[in-house]
Amino acid sequence: PTGNSNYFSYKFTSLQNKTVFQAYNGLTNGLWISDGTTTGTEQFYTFNNNIFGNPTYADLIRSVELNNKLYFLLDDDLFETDGTTSGTQASFVIDPTQKVYSLAKYSNQLLVVTYTPNSFPTVHKLWALDVSTGNTILLSTGGPIEISPKGLFNNFMYFTQVNSNGFNELWESDGTASGTVLISANNIDVDWINGEFNGELYFTATVSNVFYV
């Protein structure tokens, strides 16, 4: 949207070769889709109209495109859209006692990290969701979990999870419960996964108080 100093747009992602973003057009706050032309740019979903009061924000940064739909977080709930008003709705409720923390794509599955709100210590769960059937597999549960597209390597998803000692452990998953295993030693504290380079997966970690990359 253009033409008014009160207009602004942010959080861009892609869906079916088009751009989806959140924007405020001076009147309403919502989701827009664009094919790169003026006539092909339109708002298709409206959030809270009061942008300065208590606005709603969609997390498009951690969104996932899968089976011609975009899955994203809205107020820590899982939503889906096909880029139309009628096709934008609340998606699967994986665990009614938990909120959604983050998403990632693995093969034809949607990996979903959920958490228990207002609890200490925080309990995170990692799920593999088949979006065509709604079937879920619980892969891991425990401390805070971080997943990222950078963790995809050699047909596995690598992620970190905090153990009872406060260390970030490195885990490997093939999308099944039995194939989700801890692979790091107990003296390794993984800071983040950097991604694949030259046929190897790189991550940054502290080992016995020594920082390594």
Side-chain angles (χ1 to χ4, degrees):
T2 60
N4 187 313
S5 60
N6 290 326
Y7 288 29
F8 58 88
S9 53
Y10 49 98
K11 294 183 178 179
F12 295 78
T13 189
S14 61
L15 173 63
Q16 300 181 43
N17 297 317
K18 294 183 179 182
T19 299
V20 174
F21 58 96
Q22 184 167 353
Y24 176 63
N25 67 357
L27 295 174
T28 59
N29 176 38
L31 291 179
W32 292 64
I33 191 166
S34 177
D35 62 4
T37 67
T38 302
T39 56
T41 302
E42 61 180 356
Q43 183 175 356
F44 66 89
Y45 194 76
T46 301
F47 297 143
N48 192 322
N49 288 342
N50 185 2
I51 189 68
F52 300 108
N54 185 28
T56 298
Y57 295 103
D59 186 351
L60 300 180
I61 302 300
R62 293 180 290 182
S63 61
V64 171
E65 183 178 358
L66 185 62
N67 292 355
N68 297 319
K69 289 186 178 181
L70 186 71
Y71 294 87
F72 62 96
L73 306 187
L74 184 62
D75 291 338
D76 289 349
D77 290 320
L78 182 61
F79 269 67
E80 63 181 61
T81 183
D82 60 4
T84 67
T85 301
S86 60
T88 304
Q89 59 192 352
S91 190
F92 304 97
V93 177
I94 298 175
D95 185 336
T97 68
Q98 294 202 311
K99 290 291 189 177
V100 181
Y101 176 70
S102 61
L103 308 172
K105 179 181 178 181
Y106 172 70
S107 186
N108 61 345
Q109 296 174 313
L110 183 66
L111 297 185
V112 183
V113 176
T114 60
Y115 72 97
T116 304
N118 304 317
S119 68
F120 185 84
T122 301
V123 177
H124 280 207
K125 296 179 180 180
L126 176 61
W127 305 82
L129 168 65
D130 184 337
V131 297
S132 63
T133 64
N135 293 333
T136 58
I137 301 173
L138 179 59
L139 303 180
S140 185
T141 184
I145 296 172
E146 294 291 342
I147 56 176
S148 165
K150 292 183 178 180
L152 286 171
F153 178 67
N154 276 359
N155 297 319
F156 289 94
M157 169 61 81
Y158 293 85
F159 64 94
T160 62
Q161 183 166 22
V162 178
N163 64 17
S164 58
N165 295 322
F167 277 36
N168 262 322
E169 299 173 321
L170 185 63
W171 288 71
E172 175 187 84
S173 179
D174 64 358
T176 68
S178 61
T180 302
V181 294
L182 173 66
I183 62 171
S184 62
N186 57 13
N187 66 331
I188 297 179
D189 187 10
V190 179
D191 296 293
W192 58 81
I193 298 173
N194 300 317
E196 184 271 340
F197 178 74
N198 201 25
E200 295 184 339
L201 183 68
Y202 285 80
F203 61 93
T204 305
T206 301
V207 181
S208 301
N209 296 320
V210 178
F211 186 72
Y212 291 90
V213 177

XYZ file of all heavy atoms in Angstrom, residues 146-213:
539
model
N 14.545 -25.014 19.993
C 14.734 -24.086 18.887
C 14.907 -24.885 17.599
O 15.764 -25.775 17.525
C 15.964 -23.199 19.111
C 15.853 -22.241 20.295
C 14.845 -21.128 20.070
O 14.476 -20.894 18.895
O 14.432 -20.499 21.051
N 14.058 -24.579 16.599
C 14.174 -25.201 15.288
C 14.380 -24.109 14.254
O 13.979 -22.962 14.453
C 12.930 -26.043 14.931
C 11.650 -25.190 15.012
C 12.842 -27.272 15.793
C 10.407 -25.913 14.584
N 15.025 -24.475 13.155
C 15.345 -23.495 12.128
C 15.543 -24.214 10.801
O 15.991 -25.368 10.783
C 16.615 -22.731 12.487
O 17.132 -22.021 11.382
N 15.221 -23.557 9.663
C 15.526 -24.162 8.363
C 17.003 -24.482 8.191
O 17.366 -25.365 7.401
C 15.065 -23.091 7.365
C 14.035 -22.310 8.093
C 14.487 -22.293 9.523
N 17.860 -23.790 8.935
C 19.295 -24.055 8.857
C 19.652 -25.432 9.417
O 20.751 -25.931 9.192
C 20.081 -22.976 9.589
C 20.016 -21.604 8.932
C 20.882 -20.609 9.666
C 20.867 -19.248 8.980
N 21.715 -18.260 9.676
N 18.706 -26.037 10.144
C 18.965 -27.343 10.731
C 18.703 -28.497 9.783
O 18.937 -29.652 10.147
N 18.228 -28.233 8.581
C 17.997 -29.300 7.610
C 19.315 -29.742 6.999
O 20.043 -28.940 6.398
C 17.060 -28.814 6.497
C 15.589 -28.668 6.879
C 14.825 -27.980 5.754
C 14.967 -30.017 7.191
N 19.625 -31.036 7.128
C 20.902 -31.542 6.633
C 20.821 -33.049 6.461
O 20.420 -33.771 7.379
C 22.028 -31.186 7.620
C 23.376 -31.705 7.228
C 24.031 -31.224 6.108
C 23.996 -32.695 7.986
C 25.275 -31.706 5.740
C 25.245 -33.174 7.638
C 25.880 -32.687 6.508
N 21.180 -33.533 5.259
C 21.233 -34.972 4.980
C 19.939 -35.696 5.350
O 19.950 -36.777 5.962
C 22.411 -35.617 5.707
C 23.703 -35.477 4.916
O 23.728 -34.920 3.823
N 24.787 -35.972 5.494
N 18.805 -35.083 4.996
C 17.486 -35.673 5.224
C 17.117 -35.786 6.694
O 16.217 -36.559 7.053
C 17.380 -37.051 4.557
C 17.523 -36.973 3.052
O 16.996 -36.066 2.415
N 18.259 -37.926 2.491
N 17.802 -35.033 7.540
C 17.449 -34.965 8.955
C 17.193 -33.510 9.344
O 17.673 -32.587 8.689
C 18.570 -35.527 9.841
C 18.742 -37.022 9.759
C 19.659 -37.578 8.881
C 17.986 -37.861 10.558
C 19.827 -38.951 8.796
C 18.132 -39.236 10.480
C 19.057 -39.792 9.600
N 16.428 -33.327 10.417
C 16.271 -32.016 11.022
C 17.042 -31.997 12.338
O 16.840 -32.874 13.204
C 14.796 -31.709 11.288
C 14.578 -30.463 12.152
S 15.232 -28.928 11.423
C 13.915 -28.522 10.285
N 17.939 -31.030 12.465
C 18.719 -30.871 13.692
C 18.158 -29.678 14.461
O 17.864 -28.632 13.874
C 20.197 -30.674 13.365
C 20.824 -31.906 12.750
C 20.730 -32.152 11.379
C 21.469 -32.844 13.543
C 21.266 -33.300 10.811
C 22.023 -33.996 12.981
C 21.916 -34.215 11.619
O 22.446 -35.360 11.069
N 17.999 -29.858 15.770
C 17.447 -28.796 16.602
C 18.103 -28.828 17.979
O 18.812 -29.795 18.320
C 15.922 -28.939 16.727
C 15.459 -30.196 17.427
C 15.189 -30.192 18.783
C 15.278 -31.381 16.717
C 14.756 -31.348 19.434
C 14.839 -32.538 17.348
C 14.573 -32.520 18.711
N 17.889 -27.800 18.737
C 18.454 -27.756 20.090
C 17.335 -27.780 21.126
O 16.223 -27.301 20.879
C 19.308 -26.498 20.307
O 18.484 -25.321 20.153
C 20.458 -26.443 19.313
N 17.663 -28.369 22.269
C 16.724 -28.402 23.387
C 17.497 -28.268 24.690
O 18.550 -28.895 24.871
C 15.914 -29.693 23.386
C 14.871 -29.743 24.506
C 13.860 -30.846 24.309
O 14.111 -31.818 23.615
N 12.690 -30.693 24.904
N 16.977 -27.440 25.590
C 17.632 -27.201 26.875
C 17.362 -28.366 27.822
O 16.205 -28.773 28.008
C 17.142 -25.881 27.502
C 17.797 -25.659 28.863
C 17.444 -24.704 26.575
N 18.432 -28.902 28.425
C 18.265 -30.005 29.365
C 18.109 -29.486 30.792
O 18.048 -28.271 31.034
C 19.435 -31.001 29.260
C 20.768 -30.390 29.654
O 20.839 -29.339 30.302
N 21.852 -31.056 29.274
N 18.038 -30.394 31.752
C 17.789 -30.017 33.149
C 18.936 -29.226 33.762
O 18.762 -28.547 34.772
C 17.521 -31.269 33.987
O 18.621 -32.168 33.913
N 20.115 -29.299 33.136
C 21.269 -28.539 33.630
C 21.414 -27.182 32.952
O 22.376 -26.455 33.213
C 22.553 -29.349 33.412
C 22.589 -30.618 34.240
O 22.148 -30.627 35.395
N 23.087 -31.710 33.659
N 20.479 -26.856 32.068
C 20.532 -25.573 31.394
C 21.387 -25.566 30.143
O 21.653 -24.495 29.588
N 21.844 -26.749 29.683
C 22.657 -26.840 28.478
C 21.759 -27.052 27.255
O 20.796 -27.818 27.302
C 23.643 -28.004 28.578
C 24.897 -27.674 29.336
C 24.861 -26.842 30.431
C 26.112 -28.207 28.946
C 26.017 -26.545 31.143
C 27.276 -27.917 29.639
C 27.226 -27.084 30.750
N 22.105 -26.393 26.154
C 21.434 -26.627 24.881
C 22.024 -27.864 24.226
O 23.178 -27.851 23.793
C 21.620 -25.424 23.949
C 20.429 -24.501 23.958
O 19.279 -24.948 24.021
N 20.675 -23.209 23.901
N 21.227 -28.924 24.141
C 21.693 -30.164 23.519
C 21.346 -30.167 22.034
O 20.363 -29.562 21.607
C 21.041 -31.363 24.195
C 21.364 -31.485 25.673
C 20.573 -32.592 26.335
O 19.381 -32.750 26.005
O 21.130 -33.297 27.193
N 22.138 -30.885 21.253
C 21.878 -31.026 19.828
C 21.159 -32.342 19.577
O 21.639 -33.409 19.974
C 23.187 -30.982 19.040
C 23.056 -30.996 17.509
C 22.309 -29.754 17.029
C 24.427 -31.092 16.857
N 20.013 -32.247 18.890
C 19.195 -33.412 18.594
C 19.073 -33.599 17.091
O 19.191 -32.650 16.322
C 17.793 -33.250 19.190
C 17.743 -33.361 20.683
C 18.219 -32.466 21.599
C 17.181 -34.436 21.438
N 17.982 -32.909 22.876
C 17.342 -34.116 22.805
C 16.533 -35.626 21.096
C 16.892 -34.947 23.817
C 16.084 -36.459 22.107
C 16.272 -36.116 23.460
N 18.787 -34.833 16.694
C 18.582 -35.190 15.297
C 17.238 -35.895 15.170
O 16.872 -36.708 16.010
C 19.697 -36.130 14.844
C 19.548 -36.682 13.441
C 20.606 -37.743 13.141
O 20.372 -38.916 13.516
O 21.646 -37.384 12.571
N 16.487 -35.570 14.103
C 15.186 -36.206 13.922
C 14.948 -36.526 12.452
O 15.313 -35.752 11.563
C 14.061 -35.292 14.419
O 12.797 -35.895 14.216
N 14.313 -37.679 12.222
C 13.880 -38.046 10.872
C 12.365 -37.917 10.746
O 11.764 -38.436 9.813
C 14.324 -39.469 10.539
C 13.678 -40.521 11.435
O 12.907 -40.146 12.355
O 13.940 -41.718 11.240
N 11.740 -37.214 11.690
C 10.301 -37.004 11.656
C 9.493 -38.073 12.349
O 8.264 -38.037 12.326
N 10.179 -39.037 12.983
C 9.502 -40.076 13.759
C 9.974 -40.003 15.209
O 11.045 -39.471 15.497
C 9.790 -41.485 13.211
O 11.176 -41.807 13.428
C 9.495 -41.556 11.722
N 9.167 -40.560 16.117
C 9.537 -40.540 17.528
C 10.785 -41.368 17.780
O 11.697 -40.945 18.513
C 8.373 -41.063 18.372
N 10.875 -42.549 17.166
C 12.034 -43.416 17.376
C 13.290 -42.868 16.708
O 14.402 -43.183 17.123
C 11.739 -44.823 16.848
O 11.461 -44.792 15.460
N 13.099 -42.049 15.683
C 14.238 -41.484 14.968
C 14.647 -40.120 15.453
O 15.432 -39.427 14.786
N 14.136 -39.695 16.597
C 14.508 -38.422 17.206
C 15.413 -38.703 18.392
O 14.963 -39.236 19.414
C 13.261 -37.642 17.649
O 12.412 -37.430 16.504
C 13.640 -36.304 18.254
N 16.706 -38.381 18.256
C 17.690 -38.810 19.252
C 18.651 -37.672 19.589
O 18.924 -36.791 18.778
C 18.497 -40.028 18.737
C 17.594 -41.234 18.583
C 19.187 -39.708 17.419
N 19.169 -37.738 20.805
C 20.215 -36.815 21.255
C 21.544 -37.251 20.665
O 21.902 -38.426 20.717
C 20.289 -36.830 22.781
C 21.429 -36.056 23.443
C 21.276 -34.561 23.202
C 21.471 -36.366 24.943
N 22.300 -36.300 20.095
C 23.573 -36.667 19.467
C 24.765 -35.912 20.042
O 25.911 -36.232 19.711
C 23.539 -36.456 17.941
C 23.302 -34.984 17.609
C 22.491 -37.335 17.296
C 23.472 -34.687 16.127
N 24.553 -34.928 20.916
C 25.688 -34.188 21.476
C 26.073 -34.737 22.839
O 25.253 -35.317 23.554
C 25.360 -32.693 21.590
O 24.267 -32.474 22.471
N 27.340 -34.551 23.203
C 27.843 -34.991 24.511
C 27.325 -34.057 25.595
O 26.911 -32.924 25.330
C 29.371 -35.010 24.502
N 27.364 -34.536 26.854
C 26.765 -33.766 27.938
C 27.565 -32.533 28.337
O 27.103 -31.740 29.153
C 26.530 -34.661 29.163
C 27.813 -35.319 29.655
O 28.909 -34.939 29.258
N 27.660 -36.319 30.512
N 28.794 -32.353 27.786
C 29.580 -31.163 28.120
C 29.536 -30.113 27.008
O 30.277 -29.135 27.048
C 31.032 -31.546 28.408
C 31.746 -32.092 27.177
O 31.103 -32.671 26.300
N 33.055 -31.905 27.122
N 28.665 -30.333 26.015
C 28.544 -29.403 24.902
C 27.279 -28.568 25.069
O 26.180 -29.106 25.230
C 28.504 -30.150 23.555
C 29.818 -30.902 23.323
C 28.234 -29.188 22.406
C 29.847 -31.690 22.029
N 27.446 -27.254 25.048
C 26.331 -26.319 25.145
C 26.210 -25.624 23.786
O 27.009 -24.744 23.445
C 26.586 -25.299 26.257
C 25.384 -24.409 26.524
O 24.310 -24.705 25.993
O 25.528 -23.419 27.265
N 25.222 -26.023 22.991
C 25.075 -25.525 21.624
C 24.395 -24.160 21.649
O 23.297 -24.013 22.184
C 24.258 -26.502 20.755
C 24.100 -25.960 19.344
C 24.923 -27.869 20.744
N 25.054 -23.166 21.047
C 24.494 -21.820 21.007
C 23.508 -21.664 19.859
O 22.403 -21.167 20.043
C 25.613 -20.780 20.887
C 26.513 -20.789 22.111
O 26.031 -20.428 23.196
O 27.682 -21.190 21.986
N 23.905 -22.048 18.651
C 23.001 -21.995 17.512
C 23.555 -22.851 16.385
O 24.732 -23.181 16.345
C 22.773 -20.565 17.030
C 24.010 -19.819 16.632
C 24.685 -19.887 15.437
C 24.738 -18.887 17.429
N 25.776 -19.069 15.436
C 25.833 -18.429 16.653
C 24.578 -18.380 18.728
C 26.755 -17.506 17.123
C 25.498 -17.454 19.188
C 26.559 -17.041 18.403
N 22.648 -23.212 15.476
C 23.022 -23.994 14.298
C 23.246 -23.035 13.137
O 22.368 -22.249 12.793
C 21.928 -25.025 13.958
C 21.768 -26.024 15.121
C 22.265 -25.768 12.671
C 20.598 -26.969 14.949
N 24.430 -23.100 12.545
C 24.788 -22.151 11.492
C 24.335 -22.598 10.109
O 24.170 -21.767 9.217
C 26.311 -21.951 11.472
C 26.820 -21.401 12.784
O 26.217 -20.508 13.361
N 27.912 -21.950 13.292
N 24.166 -23.916 9.899
C 23.724 -24.415 8.610
C 24.767 -25.269 7.924
O 25.872 -25.488 8.434
N 24.404 -25.761 6.735
C 25.277 -26.654 5.969
C 26.295 -25.867 5.161
O 26.011 -24.804 4.615
C 24.420 -27.507 5.034
C 25.191 -28.551 4.233
C 25.725 -28.031 2.901
O 25.187 -27.004 2.421
O 26.667 -28.631 2.357
N 27.509 -26.389 5.097
C 28.540 -25.818 4.242
C 29.489 -26.931 3.806
O 30.032 -27.653 4.642
C 29.336 -24.725 4.972
C 30.451 -24.156 4.129
C 30.180 -23.301 3.070
C 31.771 -24.495 4.383
C 31.210 -22.790 2.288
C 32.804 -23.992 3.613
C 32.515 -23.134 2.559
N 29.615 -27.072 2.472
C 30.570 -28.026 1.908
C 30.346 -29.448 2.435
O 31.298 -30.173 2.750
C 32.010 -27.571 2.190
C 33.005 -28.192 1.230
O 32.658 -28.570 0.111
N 34.250 -28.301 1.665
N 29.086 -29.825 2.548
C 28.766 -31.189 2.934
C 28.803 -31.486 4.417
O 28.722 -32.653 4.809
N 28.897 -30.455 5.253
C 28.900 -30.661 6.703
C 27.975 -29.645 7.367
O 27.743 -28.553 6.828
C 30.319 -30.536 7.275
C 31.272 -31.623 6.794
C 32.641 -31.523 7.462
O 32.973 -30.439 7.969
O 33.364 -32.540 7.486
N 27.443 -30.024 8.536
C 26.589 -29.134 9.302
C 27.429 -28.436 10.372
O 28.121 -29.081 11.157
C 25.460 -29.914 9.975
C 24.459 -29.064 10.763
C 23.640 -28.191 9.818
C 23.535 -29.957 11.597
N 27.360 -27.118 10.388
C 28.141 -26.340 11.342
C 27.234 -25.762 12.421
O 26.101 -25.351 12.155
C 28.868 -25.200 10.632
C 30.066 -25.669 9.829
C 29.902 -26.227 8.563
C 31.356 -25.572 10.342
C 30.989 -26.681 7.829
C 32.450 -26.013 9.616
C 32.254 -26.567 8.354
O 33.334 -27.015 7.628
N 27.746 -25.749 13.630
C 27.036 -25.114 14.731
C 28.042 -24.487 15.684
O 29.221 -24.842 15.704
C 26.144 -26.118 15.475
C 26.869 -27.277 16.104
C 27.283 -27.217 17.426
C 27.105 -28.448 15.383
C 27.947 -28.289 18.013
C 27.754 -29.516 15.953
C 28.177 -29.442 17.274
N 27.586 -23.534 16.464
C 28.418 -22.831 17.432
C 28.101 -23.364 18.824
O 26.929 -23.519 19.173
C 28.161 -21.318 17.371
O 28.367 -20.870 16.029
C 29.090 -20.570 18.305
N 29.132 -23.648 19.613
C 28.898 -24.259 20.919
C 30.022 -23.909 21.879
O 31.109 -23.495 21.488
C 28.802 -25.775 20.778
N 29.703 -24.084 23.141
C 30.681 -23.950 24.219
C 30.945 -25.344 24.782
O 30.006 -26.050 25.174
C 30.173 -23.021 25.329
O 29.895 -21.738 24.772
C 31.206 -22.870 26.424
N 32.218 -25.735 24.812
C 32.592 -27.041 25.320
C 33.528 -26.837 26.518
O 34.614 -26.300 26.383
C 33.314 -27.891 24.246
C 33.665 -29.277 24.811
C 32.447 -28.023 23.015
N 33.072 -27.269 27.699
C 33.857 -27.104 28.928
C 34.340 -25.663 29.061
O 35.530 -25.380 29.290
C 35.040 -28.073 28.941
O 34.587 -29.409 28.861
N 33.393 -24.720 28.878
C 33.645 -23.279 29.024
C 34.544 -22.702 27.927
O 35.039 -21.580 28.051
C 34.230 -22.946 30.391
C 33.278 -23.266 31.528
O 32.074 -23.022 31.400
N 33.816 -23.827 32.605
N 34.774 -23.449 26.837
C 35.557 -22.939 25.717
C 34.620 -22.807 24.522
O 33.870 -23.731 24.182
C 36.734 -23.873 25.368
C 37.499 -23.319 24.162
C 37.653 -24.019 26.561
N 34.657 -21.631 23.863
C 33.737 -21.320 22.768
C 34.301 -21.839 21.442
O 35.448 -21.593 21.106
C 33.545 -19.792 22.698
C 32.513 -19.343 21.720
C 31.168 -19.538 21.973
C 32.876 -18.700 20.550
C 30.201 -19.107 21.079
C 31.926 -18.253 19.653
C 30.592 -18.467 19.925
N 33.462 -22.593 20.689
C 33.882 -23.158 19.415
C 32.864 -22.820 18.336
O 31.670 -22.668 18.607
C 33.994 -24.685 19.486
C 35.121 -25.184 20.332
C 34.940 -25.434 21.695
C 36.380 -25.431 19.778
C 35.980 -25.917 22.480
C 37.419 -25.909 20.560
C 37.213 -26.151 21.909
O 38.243 -26.616 22.696
N 33.343 -22.766 17.089
C 32.466 -22.647 15.935
C 32.765 -23.811 14.999
O 33.930 -24.039 14.665
C 32.686 -21.303 15.196
C 31.805 -21.260 13.947
C 32.370 -20.146 16.099
